[in-house]
Amino acid sequence: MRFHVSFAESLRQLEKSDDDFAVLFEHGSMRGVIFAPDEIDRQEPHIQDEIYLVMRGSGEFEMEGKVVKVGVGDFLFVPAGASHRFRNFTPDLLLWVILYGVEGGEME
């Protein structure tokens, strides 16, 4: 069972991807992803709950009309179905993304 993905390997996978993300790890309902949005973050709401960890860069994060400034080390939680996107971000913005749980999100 795979349990480790190095930062260097995650960057190699992202470079090989035709998208602005690469799936690095999957286990059950959980996916570990590296994400580097292009000039515009075109994400749509996801069917699972989601966690973002900012690895590099900075910017703003908007979720359901609320905006916060984000930078290295920040943690963001997005419930399933919530409208969200990164905006006004530096070109080097890089994020770990963890999508998990049942469709529609976990209950409180």
Side-chain angles (χ1 to χ4, degrees):
M1 172 174 157
R2 186 175 188 177
F3 67 94
H4 174 262
V5 180
S6 71
F7 183 62
E9 174 63 19
S10 67
L11 291 175
R12 283 192 292 275
Q13 293 299 321
L14 183 59
E15 287 174 8
K16 288 195 284 185
S17 176
D18 292 332
D19 295 308
D20 55 4
F21 68 92
V23 176
L24 304 171
F25 182 86
E26 295 181 275
H27 180 77
S29 70
M30 189 272 297
R31 284 181 295 149
V33 175
I34 187 169
F35 174 49
D38 289 328
E39 293 176 11
I40 297 173
D41 180 3
R42 301 184 193 284
Q43 291 190 80
E44 297 290 330
H46 303 287
I47 62 171
Q48 292 176 287
D49 290 334
E50 186 174 23
I51 294 169
Y52 289 98
L53 300 165
V54 181
M55 299 167 48
R56 190 168 63 196
S58 62
E60 297 174 336
F61 182 73
E62 179 181 357
M63 183 174 75
E64 299 291 318
K66 295 180 182 174
V67 178
V68 295
K69 291 186 179 196
V70 297
V72 174
D74 285 359
F75 173 102
L76 300 158
F77 171 73
V78 179
S83 174
H84 64 285
R85 67 186 177 112
F86 290 89
R87 60 185 214 180
N88 300 321
F89 52 85
T90 57
D92 63 341
L93 184 65
L94 187 65
L95 306 129
W96 290 124
V97 184
I98 302 178
L99 297 109
Y100 67 94
V102 297
E103 185 174 326
E106 297 195 7
M107 305 308 262
E108 292 183 21

